[in-house]
Amino acid sequence: MVRIAVCDDVKEMLEILTEIVDKEAGKLSEPYEISGFTQGKHLVEEHNKKPFHIIFLDIFMPGMSGFEAAEQIGEINRGPYLIFVTSKEELVFDSFDYYPFYFMRKRDIEGMRMDMHKIFSKLGEFRREEKEFILELPYNRKRSVRCRDILYLLSEGNYMVYNLDTGESIKIRGTMRDTEKEMENYHFVRIHKRILVNMNYIRTIDHAKNAVCGEKIGCLEIGRNYKRDVLEKYFAYSRSTL
């Protein structure tokens, strides 16, 4: 369950933001619940009991300001995606100290709907990258691996090798067909009959080398029958992240 908090001291604005959030939260493709607050201290108290995953936070509020609430939330748990909401655009630089995910302007309702649409599109992408896969290791052991930490997967006979951002390689039983299907919603592209790459780590497609390249993956050769599919999927992925 994705826990979402909306905090604004003006009741009318709180209702507007909550309604817009509710209409866009379906993009997360996960069950969600929304809690509303008119005071920063109440938000912090509730977050301390059970952390929120996404927080929309007004900056100017009586008592505890949005920045003060964000500071305490950061001390409790740095996990939430924090979106500041304010009519004061000049505060965008001050907000960086609190590691916000986004800065949303209070303006006409249609404008806020457009901003919220962008925010939840991005949140959906980031939530997918946090997806954890449970790998079945020998001797009934298990290992949890986040999607974002997988650089690429290599097929070796009846095994799949997970090459991770940490420098580790984990070898488990599996087939390329099953693994590709499992990863189809997580920005992986098959570049070779034996290689499946996380597109987050591709920086360029080197046509001279016929390879995908990146700082962490080096250069991985594209199979002859996969080049067109790689180009189409990577360019589509690149456009979606602009």
Side-chain angles (χ1 to χ4, degrees), residues 1-15:
M1 176 72 71
V2 181
R3 302 189 74 236
I4 304 172
V6 182
C7 186
D8 195 297
D9 64 302
V10 179
K11 186 177 180 180
E12 291 77 10
M13 180 56 68
L14 177 61
E15 291 175 352

Side-chain angles (χ1 to χ4, degrees), residues 60-74:
F60 285 109
M61 294 186 292
M64 181 182 290
S65 72
F67 284 160
E68 290 170 332
E71 185 173 0
Q72 292 197 31
I73 288 168

Side-chain angles (χ1 to χ4, degrees), residues 2 8 19 28 43 87 98 119 130 141 148 156 163 172 241:
V2 181
D8 195 297
E19 179 187 354
L28 298 175
L43 165 64
S87 57
Y98 305 97
I119 290 168
E130 294 297 324
R141 293 178 298 128
R148 63 185 294 181
E156 292 186 352
N163 294 280
I172 67 169
T241 58

Side-chain angles (χ1 to χ4, degrees), residues 17-206:
L17 287 171
T18 300
E19 179 187 354
I20 299 173
V21 167
D22 192 27
K23 288 186 177 180
E24 291 293 332
K27 289 186 172 61
L28 298 175
S29 299
E30 302 173 76
Y32 65 90
E33 62 181 12
I34 304 172
S35 300
F37 301 89
T38 55
Q39 294 185 45
K41 68 174 184 178
H42 292 159
L43 165 64
V44 172
E45 288 170 359
E46 191 63 29
H47 182 75
N48 197 17
K49 295 176 186 175
K50 187 176 180 181
F52 290 101
H53 301 103
I54 302 167
I55 299 175
F56 290 85
L57 183 57
D58 184 22
I59 293 177
F60 285 109
M61 294 186 292
M64 181 182 290
S65 72
F67 284 160
E68 290 170 332
E71 185 173 0
Q72 292 197 31
I73 288 168
E75 291 174 354
I76 298 167
N77 185 340
R78 281 203 175 274
Y81 295 104
L82 184 62
I83 298 96
F84 284 118
V85 185
T86 185
S87 57
K88 305 287 186 181
E89 291 187 48
E90 63 271 19
L91 292 175
V92 63
F93 295 107
D94 294 333
S95 74
F96 291 163
D97 291 338
Y98 305 97
Y99 306 97
F101 179 78
Y102 208 91
F103 187 92
M104 181 176 170
R105 291 184 295 127
K106 289 182 180 178
R107 47 182 178 148
D108 61 280
I109 293 180
E110 188 56 37
M112 289 195 293
R113 289 188 192 280
M114 292 173 61
D115 287 344
M116 197 69 76
H117 179 80
K118 294 177 183 177
I119 290 168
F120 272 95
S121 293
K122 293 294 183 183
L123 282 169
E125 296 294 328
F126 276 73
R127 291 284 297 178
R128 278 192 287 274
E129 290 180 12
E130 294 297 324
K131 162 75 175 178
E132 292 191 352
F133 296 97
I134 306 300
L135 306 184
E136 301 285 345
L137 305 178
Y139 308 108
N140 295 318
R141 293 178 298 128
K142 295 183 179 180
R143 170 74 181 274
S144 176
V145 174
R146 288 187 305 177
C147 178
R148 63 185 294 181
D149 295 330
I150 303 171
L151 300 178
Y152 64 95
L153 300 105
L154 178 66
S155 173
E156 292 186 352
N158 295 321
Y159 292 87
M160 294 297 301
V161 180
Y162 286 66
N163 294 280
L164 307 182
D165 189 23
T166 59
E168 296 177 88
S169 293
I170 301 175
K171 191 173 184 178
I172 67 169
R173 280 194 171 275
T175 66
M176 175 58 79
R177 177 181 293 180
D178 290 342
T179 305
E180 185 178 21
K181 185 174 182 179
E182 185 179 19
M183 299 293 186
E184 63 183 356
N185 294 320
Y186 300 97
H187 300 311
F188 281 77
V189 60
R190 190 169 178 179
I191 67 165
H192 188 279
K193 65 181 181 179
R194 297 179 57 233
I195 306 173
L196 193 62
V197 180
N198 187 336
M199 286 189 281
N200 285 300
Y201 293 102
I202 297 175
R203 293 295 172 263
T204 61
I205 294 180
D206 190 319

